[in-house]
Amino acid sequence: MKKFLNTPESYLSDALAGLAAAHPELRVDAENGVVARASGPVEGKVGLVSGGGSGHEPLHSGFVGEGMLDAACPGEVFTSPVPDGFLAGVKAADAGRGTVLIVKNYTGDVMNAQMAAELAEDEGLRVEQVLVNDDVAVEDSTFTAGRRGTGATVFVEKICGAAAARGDGLEAVAELGRRVNAASRSFAVALTACTVPTAGRPGFDLPEEEIEVGVGIHGEPGRRREKLRSAREIVGEMMEAILQDSPLESGDEAVVMVNGMGGTPLSELYLVFGEVARVCGDKGITIARNLVGDYVTSLDMEGCSITLCRVEEGFLPLWDAPVNTPALRWGV
Amino acid sequence: MKKFLNTPESYLSDALAGLAAAHPELRVDAENGVVARASGPVEGKVGLVSGGGSGHEPLHSGFVGEGMLDAACPGEVFTSPVPDGFLAGVKAADAGRGTVLIVKNYTGDVMNAQMAAELAEDEGLRVEQVLVNDDVAVEDSTFTAGRRGTGATVFVEKICGAAAARGDGLEAVAELGRRVNAASRSFAVALTACTVPTAGRPGFDLPEEEIEVGVGIHGEPGRRREKLRSAREIVGEMMEAILQDSPLESGDEAVVMVNGMGGTPLSELYLVFGEVARVCGDKGITIARNLVGDYVTSLDMEGCSITLCRVEEGFLPLWDAPVNTPALRWGV
């Protein structure tokens, strides 16, 4: 295992210490597993929290800041935050108008977030959950009942973050998040496996010249293995899977993300985006906005995911609204 | 070789096509090797151009836009642009007040940029060159006489871009760029080698458990090979090399970049930044601004570089000035 780390056990806390050093506008509480805005909850605003296992950086801590999350709950690597972690995130975000908790659909996350929501409600806090389950690759998988939650999480966090910032209420922000999730579909491909620091070796074997089609963000199996093909063929298959399932139709607009899994060079991601744009053009879909880069990673995995969100009424002004976080920043 | 590409030969043009699709605010001319602002040269502003071999994305094309470059000249992978490429960049940037051409110190780049500058001057255009040579790892190397130009290029491009945007003249922008370079030092370490698409295999062999200390951005040899050690020890050695050579003294402020080489997860870069911050704290150096992420890459290489620039009079307001490019964006 070749990584920049001190010990496998201190990997997460050391990485969080670096995040804290780079971003004094964040309050990093590694002990309780919370990264929040240093300025505290925003008076009069609905709180917005997300969390999940670490190893997907910048998700979620890199999206804490003005116009996006109030707090993130980083669990251990590829491990759901404990209920107390989610609860600490809710408390760090709540300013009296309630908190929306965005949860990716993995069994552990769903269970622990639910427990945290109940604990929070016992303490008189209002919590609405938004479940993200955009990955069309497989129904049920390792760690998941139903579809996995992946790239659409970024779209939900950005659009809900802007809605909360403009003053929308608890139910409205949550309902908007559900609409964004329902409008979004993702599909991922891995060229290589990833290595969890405490494991010290790749999580699965992927022979040279083979790829995992439909891989999950922890390296869990997808639809099948196959020989590496051209980017155009791979993207063609990914886009077919997405569009078969998506509400997108010819004439629609989409927000598109081509996301690297951690070990993929930016030049390859742009190359993939070019192929995505070609398919969208052929299908009569206009790409209204795009993101190309590393947003939902899987440690050092080489691979990429594609996420398309159908643009619905009200989405684009919220997408374009100012955001000031370590990983997304515009308008400020 | 596992990469997202169609053919090794079309890798660069396909990646540029994707860049163009994602960023309509850029004009991408793959044939002549120029990426420029679609809106053309800015009336009344000194032009700013940089270029070099491709494979270092987002450098340089990702830094074209408001507040930074007017044009970039992407050569073939790890190959200097031809003189006509640099010349086309100068012509795309020139608005009548002359153009500053930022060149990383590699023999081919220096020679071809010089030829382009002479050709431009023959056509009545004024060109000032700024040579970047911040890498303290080695004197003379494969491809280079003298020190290599690496991470400081980002600092020179950002600060000169802001100076040009506020209306500084040709000589002033160039002189500022030379000051930024003189104030900057870098050092890089590779965990793995990188693979040029047309070669199809890693550019050098790096045994499991060994790292290349002082590597160049094309994988050229550094000071030595050694066993992988802890991030704290590696960063300690990198920082010692930088600080021994740097004008930085206790009480100074620095702009610090921890840069990924293309295949390094963001979490590890933050971990490295944490170690850099610790050393700076010990040495009495205040980190005034920082960048953590992939800015000057080496295709799929796993590794990182550290760059420190001593903050001098006037640097920070220019650093903070608005920038709107694919890879750096704030204030707009």
Side-chain angles (χ1 to χ4, degrees):
Chain A
M1 172 175 62
K2 274 182 167 175
K3 289 181 186 292
F4 292 110
L5 49 73
N6 291 315
T7 67
E9 294 70 29
S10 68
Y11 162 79
L12 178 59
S13 58
D14 287 350
L16 286 172
L19 181 74
H23 295 287
E25 72 276 16
L26 301 181
R27 182 175 59 75
V28 177
D29 177 354
E31 196 178 340
N32 294 302
V34 177
V35 176
R37 303 189 196 184
S39 50
V42 181
E43 205 61 44
K45 191 182 83 66
V46 166
L48 198 62
V49 176
S50 194
S54 292
H56 308 299
E57 291 73 18
L59 193 80
H60 298 276
S61 302
F63 299 128
V64 175
E66 187 190 339
M68 217 160 161
L69 299 179
D70 294 282
C73 316
E76 293 295 319
V77 173
F78 290 0
T79 304
S80 170
V82 295
D84 279 351
F86 278 120
L87 180 63
V90 168
K91 288 181 175 176
D94 193 273
R97 288 192 70 193
T99 297
V100 173
L101 181 54
I102 299 166
V103 183
K104 300 191 298 303
N105 190 37
Y106 293 95
T107 305
D109 294 65
V110 169
M111 189 174 67
N112 292 345
Q114 176 61 29
M115 287 178 65
E118 290 169 11
L119 290 167
E121 282 158 9
D122 287 348
E123 299 190 32
L125 303 173
R126 289 187 300 151
V127 177
E128 283 281 338
Q129 295 183 60
V130 174
L131 190 71
V132 180
N133 61 349
D134 55 310
D135 184 348
V136 302
V138 289
E139 289 292 334
D140 303 336
S141 169
T142 326
F143 314 130
T144 332
R147 288 182 172 182
R148 302 174 296 217
T150 60
T153 315
V154 179
F155 296 171
V156 172
E157 292 178 5
K158 172 67 185 80
I159 290 174
C160 287
R166 76 176 172 194
D168 287 12
L170 179 64
E171 288 75 15
V173 174
E175 193 48 41
L176 179 66
R178 292 176 195 126
R179 280 176 59 211
V180 172
N181 175 63
S184 300
R185 299 292 186 279
S186 295
F187 197 97
V189 162
L191 304 188
T192 66
C194 56
T195 298
V196 173
T198 51
R201 56 191 170 73
F204 59 98
D205 290 318
L206 195 51
E208 187 60 33
E209 301 305 325
E210 285 193 21
I211 64 176
E212 181 76 37
V213 177
V215 72
I217 58 173
H218 313 92
E220 58 269 46
R223 294 184 171 183
R224 65 174 181 286
R225 300 254 169 107
E226 62 176 37
K227 291 282 177 202
L228 179 63
R229 293 180 292 160
S230 73
R232 183 158 304 169
E233 290 172 296
I234 294 170
V235 170
E237 180 174 351
M238 296 170 80
M239 288 294 286
E240 194 178 331
I242 288 170
L243 292 174
Q244 272 184 352
D245 196 89
S246 165
L248 276 161
E249 292 177 1
S250 179
D252 282 344
E253 287 187 308
V255 180
V256 173
M257 178 169 72
V258 170
N259 169 63
M261 307 296 274
T264 313
L266 184 61
S267 51
E268 293 180 43
L269 299 179
Y270 272 116
L271 193 151
V272 167
F273 182 82
E275 300 299 335
V276 171
R278 173 193 308 267
V279 174
C280 284
D282 289 346
K283 301 287 185 186
I285 295 163
T286 301
I287 300 178
R289 302 289 185 273
N290 68 77
L291 287 180
V292 181
D294 283 3
Y295 296 100
V296 184
T297 61
S298 303
L299 295 167
D300 53 348
M301 184 186 285
E302 288 178 57
C304 75
S305 64
I306 299 169
T307 303
L308 270 71
C309 174
R310 184 176 70 173
V311 171
E312 298 184 1
E313 179 75 27
F315 285 8
L316 284 186
L318 293 165
W319 181 261
D320 292 340
V323 61
N324 191 2
T325 70
L328 275 193
R329 187 174 176 188
W330 58 69
V332 286
Chain B
M1 174 176 61
K2 273 182 167 175
K3 288 181 187 290
F4 292 110
L5 49 73
N6 291 315
T7 67
E9 293 71 27
S10 67
Y11 162 79
L12 178 59
S13 58
D14 288 350
L16 287 172
L19 181 74
H23 295 287
E25 72 275 18
L26 301 180
R27 181 175 59 76
V28 176
D29 176 354
E31 197 178 338
N32 293 303
V34 178
V35 175
R37 303 189 196 184
S39 50
V42 180
E43 206 59 45
K45 190 183 83 66
V46 165
L48 197 63
V49 176
S50 193
S54 292
H56 308 300
E57 292 72 20
L59 193 81
H60 299 276
S61 302
F63 299 127
V64 175
E66 188 190 338
M68 216 160 161
L69 299 180
D70 294 281
C73 316
E76 293 295 320
V77 173
F78 290 0
T79 304
S80 170
V82 295
D84 279 351
F86 278 120
L87 180 62
V90 169
K91 288 181 176 177
D94 192 273
R97 286 191 72 195
T99 297
V100 172
L101 181 54
I102 299 166
V103 183
K104 300 191 299 302
N105 191 36
Y106 293 95
T107 305
D109 295 65
V110 170
M111 190 175 66
N112 291 345
Q114 176 61 29
M115 286 178 66
E118 289 169 11
L119 290 167
E121 282 159 9
D122 287 347
E123 298 190 30
L125 303 174
R126 288 189 300 151
V127 176
E128 282 281 339
Q129 294 183 61
V130 174
L131 190 70
V132 180
N133 61 350
D134 55 310
D135 183 349
V136 303
V138 290
E139 288 291 335
D140 304 336
S141 169
T142 326
F143 315 132
T144 332
R147 288 183 172 182
R148 302 174 297 215
T150 61
T153 316
V154 179
F155 295 171
V156 172
E157 293 178 5
K158 173 66 184 81
I159 291 174
C160 287
R166 76 176 172 193
D168 286 14
L170 180 63
E171 287 75 16
V173 174
E175 192 49 40
L176 178 65
R178 292 176 195 126
R179 280 177 58 211
V180 172
N181 176 63
S184 300
R185 299 292 187 277
S186 295
F187 196 97
V189 163
L191 303 189
T192 66
C194 55
T195 298
V196 173
T198 51
R201 57 191 170 72
F204 59 98
D205 290 318
L206 195 52
E208 187 61 34
E209 301 306 323
E210 285 193 22
I211 65 176
E212 181 76 37
V213 177
V215 72
I217 58 173
H218 313 92
E220 58 269 45
R223 293 183 172 186
R224 66 175 181 284
R225 299 255 170 105
E226 63 176 34
K227 291 282 177 202
L228 179 63
R229 293 179 293 159
S230 73
R232 184 158 303 168
E233 290 172 296
I234 294 171
V235 170
E237 180 174 351
M238 296 170 80
M239 289 294 286
E240 193 178 331
I242 288 170
L243 292 174
Q244 272 185 352
D245 196 88
S246 166
L248 275 162
E249 294 177 1
S250 180
D252 283 344
E253 287 187 308
V255 180
V256 173
M257 178 169 72
V258 170
N259 169 63
M261 308 296 274
T264 314
L266 184 61
S267 51
E268 293 181 43
L269 299 179
Y270 272 115
L271 193 152
V272 166
F273 183 82
E275 300 299 335
V276 171
R278 172 193 309 266
V279 175
C280 285
D282 290 346
K283 300 286 186 187
I285 295 163
T286 300
I287 300 179
R289 302 289 185 275
N290 68 77
L291 287 179
V292 181
D294 283 3
Y295 297 99
V296 184
T297 62
S298 303
L299 295 167
D300 53 347
M301 184 187 285
E302 287 178 57
C304 75
S305 63
I306 300 169
T307 303
L308 271 71
C309 174
R310 184 177 69 175
V311 172
E312 298 184 1
E313 179 77 26
F315 285 8
L316 285 185
L318 293 166
W319 181 262
D320 292 339
V323 60
N324 190 3
T325 71
L328 274 193
R329 187 174 177 189
W330 58 69
V332 286

